[in-house]
Structure formats: structure tokens, C-alpha cells
């Protein structure tokens, strides 16, 4: 962002001159509203926003809805801003369809709306229906928010074109890293320790398959469950990517990372991943891993652990809570989190980092950017633990104070609440903004419980210590998290060939693992990948990367 600011300074004069020469038509969103002494807009100013229908997860009181509820009313009361939401589409695909209709003029674009795909972002910019906001960022974004965005400069890449910025990431933050989640009781029963490298990992999953770790006298268990759907890099749960990284370092499947010369290369063709494919083929042939991984999505693959069949999976710490029902299958089951295995040279293994969940874009006719940033900064109080939202958005809804103690478990509210209204679902974002979830758990473990997020984390150490410790482990190993360095719209050759290349990649990886093709097929895959568009794509990706750097 700091480099962006320098560029903006040189462009600002020109952009102001262009604006002066622009149309004098009255913009449809113009409202003669100003802040009073309390920082509240008078008269009330309306900002229209859009959300996916399936993100409308709030539980409303009788007579309330997405546009009439306590959070909307509080926003108007405190800021003099009325947030008016239109729900578009039932899922991500339908939502995109609605946005495309707006591009054709069949639908109205709201003032502010989230976009989740880089191609859609590019189409929005190309349409001329969204505005460049460089000047607005400089003038209106508070410094504390600029500091957050400075940490994640790559989140600006998809929304930049010709030196201008056409949106901002939705509350950028480094999502929690994945950890190794293991049946501790199986380790104890067999006198084993959690693995720390590939060799030890193999020994453990072999024992979990062949040595009756649950002691029921049956051969009904195996070592490791994962998902191979996509490109063997799920990024959240049932993820095998650490195993690939053990041999390829940062060049993990499905990710663009820098080589030693600073050029971007595609990880799936790295020689190190060949070694891991050979291992996975061996493990599959021996029955030590989930036999239907390639045809199973991440969530269902994780279910193998819940059913008491698999002893290890890799996922985000919250996944511990999702597999806790394993105790209904085996009352003696104990779950524990461990760090991921390391490379043989002692360096960490890597995994995909997510830093944003979409981008906010703005209607070209929207001229209340100061009001938007006032609102955006206000809802960020919940992340900083300041202002109106020290512990959460609204007492009696997402938190309560009982006998002087802040509580987040609605069953412990006074009175207890079931299906509470969720204020965080009635903002411009789909989720409550946060700054650093992993660090909040580390702070709580160290006894720092000042903000609502830290207090909530401390409560998890009481109610779900295995999960909470997982977050601390993830925080200790945050260097494992690496963002995909190519996150722009598909290049021209990508638009022609990428789907075919991805299909070829998935088939070759799967056929090698399943023993349908020899390991030498990997070498042929790399040759074909380059010849069938991959080499040209790599050139185009690096041309783009130079402009971003």
C-alpha cells in the first residue's frame, strides 16, 4: 500500500482534472448529508449493499428481517446510516449470475457489493460500472485500517488495473493454519509418538492400519484420510499438501510461488511432488490411506475420522469440534493436535494461506465513500475490542455479561438463548471482521484477556482445550502459510487451456496414486503441461507479476 500511495500521489492531480471534465449529471446516490458534532449523519444516509442469499444466516425475531433488525437499527442510531441489503441468488453461482445481469443493465448494481472471483472482478472493471477508489482510500480510510491492508498487499492485485484500484479485500486477515489432528488414544495404545517427518509418518499410518490401534480385534482402521478432489490442495481440511511440501518445499500443488530467480512457477510440476506421489502410491497399495480420496470432497473425507476409521487428518483447528462425534463410535477416543511434519532438512512444510474472502467493489455512481469508511471502521471495533464493540457487536445477542463475566455460550446467557440473532451477519461483510485469530489464542493462553476475541479464546481453553491448543500450535507455525502469488484474472492462454490442464493434472496425480500409471507418467505430464499451454501461461503470469512487483 505504501508504494501504491506514492503512485496515487502522482495520479491524483490528473484524476481530479478528469473528474472536473466529466458528466455533470446528478448521481443517483448523492445525498446532501453531513456529520453532526457526534459524528452522526443528518439526515439519515442510505447505503445499498448486496449479499448472497445463503449468507443470510441471521435468526430474526418475529417481524424482523435482513433490513429490519437490531444491528441495522443500531447502525442508524449511532451513525445516521441505513444499510439496505438486497439478497442475490441462493449460492455463489446464482449470485454471480445476478451480478452479470447487472452488467447487462437487467439488474441494478447496489452501492457496495462483494465479488468472489477474479474473472468477475475483471469483468466489472471492464464494464465501467465500478469506480476506482484510490483517492477515497487516501482521504477516508482510517490509519488503523490502512495498517491492516499494508500487511496484505497481494489482496490488491485482483482489483488493480492500469495503476488504479477498484475495490478492497473483505476484512483481510491471515486465516488459521492447519495442524495434524490425530487419535491420541491410538498413539498411546501402540506406544507411538506423533510423526515429525515423512519417514515417521509412514511408520505411524502403517501401525494404525495393521496393529489394531483401537483394540477391537478387527482390521477396520487405517492411517490417513485426505481429499484428492481438485489438485490435492484443499487449503482447509483433509489436506494432503504438507506431504507434498515435505519434498517440494514451497512448490506445492496448485500454487504459484517464486523460484530462486524471483520468477513464478507452478508447483504441481515440481520434481519434489513426484517423490510424494510415489510414496502415496505405495501407501494406497498397502491400504494405509483413504482408498477413495480422489473421488471424495474435503468434508466427507474428514468424516472418515469421525467414523473411527482413520487415525490422522490435517485441517484447521476448528475441525476438532467437527470430528468430536468420533466418541459416539468409540467412547475411548481422544483427539489431539500436533504440528505438521517437517522436511528432511528440518525446514517447515508449507500450506496455502488465505488472506481474504472476497472483495468489496463500488458502484461508479456511489459518492458516499466517506460514509462507507466511517461505517467500515465502526464495525472493525469488534476486531480491535474498542468503541461500541469491545466484547462483541450486541449484548444479549453475540455475547452477554452475567454476574460481571463476559460469556459467549448462549446457553449461559441470562436468560439462556437458543438460535440468537447474529449481528455479524447483518453487516456489509459475510463474517465478523478479525485481525489475527491465531494470535488471539496465543494471547489467551498467556493470560491476556482484554478484548472480546481474547476472552472468547480463553473460554475455549475451558470448553474445548484440544481445539484451543490447535490454534496455539498453528500460531507457533504461521511461517508455514504462503499465499498463492498469482491471484489475478485468468491470463489469455489460461482462458483457453487451464481447465484442460487442470483435468490432466488431476488424472495423472490420481492414476499414479491409484497404481493405474507408473511414476514415470509424472515426467510425461510435465512435458505435456508445458507443451499444451503451460509454458505460455507461465510467461503470461510472470509478465503480470512484474507489473505487480
Amino acid at each position: 500500500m505504501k508504494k501504491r500511495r506514492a503512485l496515487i500521489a502522482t495520479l491524483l492531480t490528473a484524476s481530479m482534472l478528469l473528474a472536473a471534465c466529466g458528466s455533470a449529471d446528478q448521481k443517483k446516490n448523492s445525498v446532501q448529508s453531513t456529520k453532526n458534532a457526534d459524528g452522526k449523519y443528518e439526515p439519515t444516509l442510505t447505503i445499498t449493499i448486496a449479499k448472497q442469499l445463503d449468507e443470510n444466516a441471521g435468526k430474526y425475531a418475529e417481524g424482523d428481517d435482513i433490513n429490519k433488525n437490531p444491528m441495522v437499527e443500531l447502525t442508524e442510531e449511532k451513525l445516521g446510516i441505513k444499510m439496505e441489503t438486497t439478497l442475490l441468488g441462493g449460492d455463489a453461482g446464482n449470485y454471480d449470475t445476478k451480478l452479470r445481469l447487472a452488467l447487462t443493465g437487467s439488474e441494478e448494481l447496489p452501492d457496495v457489493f462483494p465479488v468472489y472471483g477474479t474473472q468477475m472482478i475483471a469483468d466489472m472493471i471492464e464494464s465501467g460500472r465500478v469506480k476506482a477508489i484510490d483517492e477515497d482510500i487516501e482521504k477516508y480510510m482510517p490509519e488503523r485500517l490502512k495498517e491492516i491492508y499494508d500487511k496484505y498487499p497481494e489482496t490488491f492485485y485482483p482489483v488493480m488495473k492500469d495503476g488504479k484500484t477498484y475495490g478492497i479485500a473483505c476484512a483481510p486477515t491471515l486465516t488459521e493454519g492447519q495442524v495434524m489432528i490425530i487419535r491420541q488414544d491410538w498413539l498411546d495404545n501402540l506406544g507411538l509418538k506423533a510423526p515429525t517427518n515423512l519417514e515417521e509418518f509412514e511408520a505411524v499410518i502403517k501401525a494404525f492400519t495393521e496393529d489394531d490401534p483401537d483394540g477391537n480385534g478387527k482390521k477396520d482402521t487405517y492411517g490417513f484420510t485426505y481429499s484428492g478432489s481438485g489438485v490435492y490442495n484443499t487449503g482447509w481440511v483433509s489436506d494432503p499438501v504438507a506431504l507434498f511440501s515435505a519434498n517440494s518445499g514451497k512448490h506445492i500443488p496448485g500454487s504459484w510461488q517464486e523460484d530462486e530467480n524471483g520468477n513464478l512457477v507452478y508447483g504441481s510440476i515440481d520434481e519434489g511432488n513426484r517423490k510424494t506421489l510415489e510414496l502415496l502410491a505405495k501407501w494406497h497399495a498397502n491400504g494405509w490411506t483413504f482408498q477413495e480420496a480422489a473421488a471424495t470432497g474435503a468434508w466427507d473425507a474428514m468424516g472418515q475420522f469421525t467414523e473411527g476409521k482413520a487415525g490422522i487428518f490435517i485441517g484447521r483447528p476448528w475441525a476438532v469440534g467437527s470430528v468430536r462425534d468420533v466418541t459416539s463410535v468409540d467412547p475411548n477416543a481422544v483427539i489431539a493436535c500436533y504440528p505438521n511434519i517437517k522436511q528432511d532438512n528440518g525446514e517447515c512444510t508449507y500450506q496455502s494461506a488465505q488472506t481474504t474472502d472476497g472483495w468489496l467493489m463500488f458502484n461508479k455512481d456511489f459518492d458516499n465513500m466517506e460514509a462507507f469508511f466511517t461505517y467500515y471502521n465502526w464495525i472493525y471495533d469488534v476486531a480491535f475490542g474498542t468503541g461500541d464493540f469491545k466484547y462483541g457487536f450486541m449484548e444479549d445477542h453475540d455475547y452477554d455479561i452475567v454476574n460481571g463475566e463476559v460469556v459467549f455460550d448462549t446457553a449461559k446467557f441470562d436468560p439462556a438463548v437458543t438460535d440468537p440473532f447474529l449481528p455479524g451477519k447483518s453487516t456489509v461483510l459475510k463474517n465478523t471482521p478479525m485481525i489475527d485469530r491465531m494470535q488471539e489464542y496465543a494471547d489467551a493462553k498467556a493470560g491476556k484477556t482484554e478484548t472480546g476475541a481474547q476472552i472468547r479464546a480463553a473460554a475455549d481453553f475451558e470448553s474445548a482445550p484440544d481445539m484451543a491448543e490447535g490454534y496455539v500450535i498453528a500460531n507457533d507455525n504461521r511461517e508455514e502459510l504462503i499465499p498463492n502469488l498469482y491471484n489475478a484474472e485468468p491470463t489469455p492462454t489460461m482462458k483457453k487451456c487451464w481447465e484442460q490442464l487442470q483435468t490432466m493434472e488431476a488424472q495423472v496425480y490420481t492414476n499414479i496414486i491409484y497404481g493405474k500409471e507408473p511414476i514415470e507418467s509424472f515426467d510425461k505430464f510435465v512435458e505435456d503441461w508445458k507443451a499444451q499451454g503451460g509454458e505460455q501461461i507461465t510467461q503470461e503470469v510472470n509478465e503480470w507479476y512484474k507489473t505487480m512487483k
Side-chain angles (χ1 to χ4, degrees):
M1 183 180 279
K2 291 173 183 175
K3 291 182 180 179
R4 282 179 59 263
R5 294 179 193 175
L7 175 63
I8 290 164
T10 64
L11 294 175
L12 193 53
T13 301
S15 66
M16 291 174 69
L17 287 171
L18 288 171
C21 297
S23 171
D25 291 343
Q26 180 69 27
K27 293 182 179 180
K28 67 183 179 66
N29 290 307
S30 290
V31 174
Q32 297 301 317
S33 183
T34 57
K35 285 183 180 181
N36 64 20
D38 296 323
K40 181 177 178 178
Y41 283 92
E42 294 180 338
T44 297
L45 182 153
T46 298
I47 297 177
T48 60
I49 62 177
K51 300 187 87 167
Q52 286 178 206
L53 181 60
D54 60 359
E55 286 298 331
N56 181 28
K59 305 296 189 291
Y60 302 109
E62 186 175 352
D64 283 0
D65 56 35
I66 189 78
N67 286 313
K68 182 181 179 299
N69 60 64
M71 188 64 188
V72 170
E73 292 165 358
L74 181 66
T75 305
E76 188 169 352
E77 174 192 336
K78 289 284 188 177
L79 303 181
I81 298 174
K82 180 175 176 59
M83 304 300 292
E84 191 173 281
T85 301
T86 299
L87 296 171
L88 299 178
D91 57 23
N94 288 333
Y95 178 79
D96 279 358
T97 298
K98 290 285 189 179
L99 290 182
R100 291 199 179 281
L101 286 173
L103 291 182
T104 67
S106 300
E107 297 278 347
E108 188 77 18
L109 269 183
D111 297 328
V112 186
F113 55 96
V115 179
Y116 300 105
T118 54
Q119 183 61 61
M120 178 63 77
I121 290 173
D123 292 344
M124 282 286 171
I125 296 172
E126 184 67 24
S127 75
R129 299 284 301 279
V130 293
K131 67 184 300 182
I133 59 169
D134 302 273
E135 183 180 348
D136 298 311
I137 290 174
E138 291 304 306
K139 289 175 63 176
Y140 303 129
M141 181 184 275
E143 283 302 317
R144 69 176 186 176
L145 297 189
K146 287 180 180 177
E147 289 176 5
I148 290 175
Y149 281 84
D150 277 343
K151 294 178 182 178
Y152 307 106
E154 71 279 356
T155 65
F156 282 104
Y157 294 172
V159 290
M160 293 188 72
K161 185 174 183 179
D162 299 331
K164 295 181 180 180
T165 307
Y166 290 87
I168 58 173
C170 295
T173 184
L174 185 64
T175 53
E176 61 270 26
Q178 300 176 70
V179 295
M180 193 159 48
I181 300 171
I182 305 183
R183 284 287 297 271
Q184 181 65 46
D185 55 310
W186 288 12
L187 288 175
D188 295 342
N189 291 344
L190 300 179
L192 300 172
K193 293 182 179 180
T196 63
N197 56 37
L198 270 177
E199 182 179 359
E200 293 175 3
F201 191 90
E202 178 177 292
V204 169
I205 64 172
K206 177 182 179 182
F208 278 3
T209 307
E210 299 178 355
D211 297 344
D212 191 22
D214 58 0
N216 67 357
K218 302 176 182 179
K219 293 187 76 68
D220 57 356
T221 61
Y222 63 89
F224 179 60
T225 183
Y226 67 98
S227 172
S229 63
V231 291
Y232 291 84
N233 181 352
T234 73
W236 59 303
V237 295
S238 305
D239 197 349
V241 81
L243 306 180
F244 286 99
S245 178
N247 284 314
S248 64
K250 289 187 176 182
H251 300 299
I252 55 181
S255 184
W256 292 87
Q257 300 295 330
E258 286 189 354
D259 64 12
E260 63 275 8
N261 298 316
N263 296 316
L264 292 189
V265 293
Y266 186 57
S268 297
I269 64 173
D270 187 84
E271 179 72 14
N273 292 318
R274 184 186 196 274
K275 298 177 183 178
T276 297
L277 284 171
E278 193 167 18
L279 265 182
L280 285 170
K282 170 187 173 183
W283 298 350
H284 183 89
N286 290 329
W288 300 344
T289 56
F290 182 34
Q291 297 293 286
E292 300 174 13
T296 307
W299 191 265
D300 290 334
M302 186 173 67
Q304 294 288 300
F305 188 96
T306 312
E307 294 172 14
K309 298 175 182 177
I312 303 176
F313 76 97
I314 297 170
R316 296 183 181 176
W318 55 258
V320 172
S322 299
V323 299
R324 212 179 293 285
D325 280 350
V326 67
T327 55
S328 65
V329 178
D330 184 351
N332 298 315
V334 178
I335 305 171
C337 293
Y338 286 93
N340 286 308
I341 62 172
K342 295 186 180 299
Q343 301 177 56
D344 286 344
N345 60 11
E347 295 182 11
C348 70
T349 53
Y350 295 93
Q351 55 187 276
S352 295
Q354 183 179 346
T355 54
T356 183
D357 189 10
W359 293 263
L360 293 174
M361 303 190 83
F362 303 84
N363 190 310
K364 69 179 179 62
D365 294 325
F366 179 57
D367 58 2
N368 287 310
M369 291 298 294
E370 180 183 22
F372 167 78
F373 277 116
T374 296
Y375 165 79
Y376 194 49
N377 187 52
W378 180 64
I379 62 174
Y380 247 101
D381 275 349
V382 76
F384 286 98
T386 57
D388 290 327
F389 307 132
K390 183 173 182 180
Y391 303 121
F393 278 121
M394 302 188 76
E395 190 173 345
D396 298 328
H397 294 294
D398 56 342
Y399 76 97
D400 198 8
I401 298 177
V402 181
N403 298 324
E405 179 182 353
V406 180
V407 295
F408 300 97
D409 183 349
T410 58
K412 297 179 180 179
F413 283 15
D414 185 17
V417 177
T418 56
D419 289 335
F421 166 68
L422 304 175
K425 289 295 185 180
S426 285
T427 73
V428 71
L429 302 171
K430 68 162 66 173
N431 294 307
T432 300
M434 64 181 69
I435 296 175
D436 191 330
R437 192 173 188 182
M438 293 183 289
Q439 186 60 51
E440 288 157 2
Y441 280 88
D443 290 342
K445 186 173 183 179
K448 186 177 180 181
T449 52
E450 298 170 1
T451 68
Q454 291 166 343
I455 296 170
R456 190 188 295 268
D460 284 342
F461 277 100
E462 297 292 327
S463 62
D466 44 9
M467 179 192 74
E469 287 294 341
Y471 278 103
V472 175
I473 291 169
N475 186 63
D476 290 341
N477 295 278
R478 60 172 55 230
E479 74 277 6
E480 297 178 5
L481 291 160
I482 51 173
N484 189 339
L485 295 181
Y486 184 76
N487 62 347
E489 69 171 305
T491 71
T493 308
M494 272 184 174
K495 292 176 182 178
K496 299 176 184 177
C497 307
W498 194 245
E499 185 175 351
Q500 175 187 339
L501 292 176
Q502 292 276 276
T503 299
M504 177 173 64
E505 175 184 332
Q507 288 177 342
V508 171
Y509 268 53
T510 295
N511 287 343
I512 291 173
I513 293 170
Y514 280 29
K516 296 179 180 179
E517 293 186 35
I519 190 61
E520 288 75 19
S521 296
F522 180 85
D523 307 322
K524 181 67 164 54
F525 155 67
V526 173
E527 292 178 9
D528 291 345
W529 187 90
K530 292 178 179 179
Q532 295 177 25
E535 193 161 9
Q536 179 62 29
I537 288 171
T538 301
Q539 180 179 329
E540 293 169 356
V541 164
N542 278 287
E543 289 172 356
W544 165 87
Y545 193 51
K546 288 175 183 176
T547 68
M548 291 299 104
K549 294 176 72 174

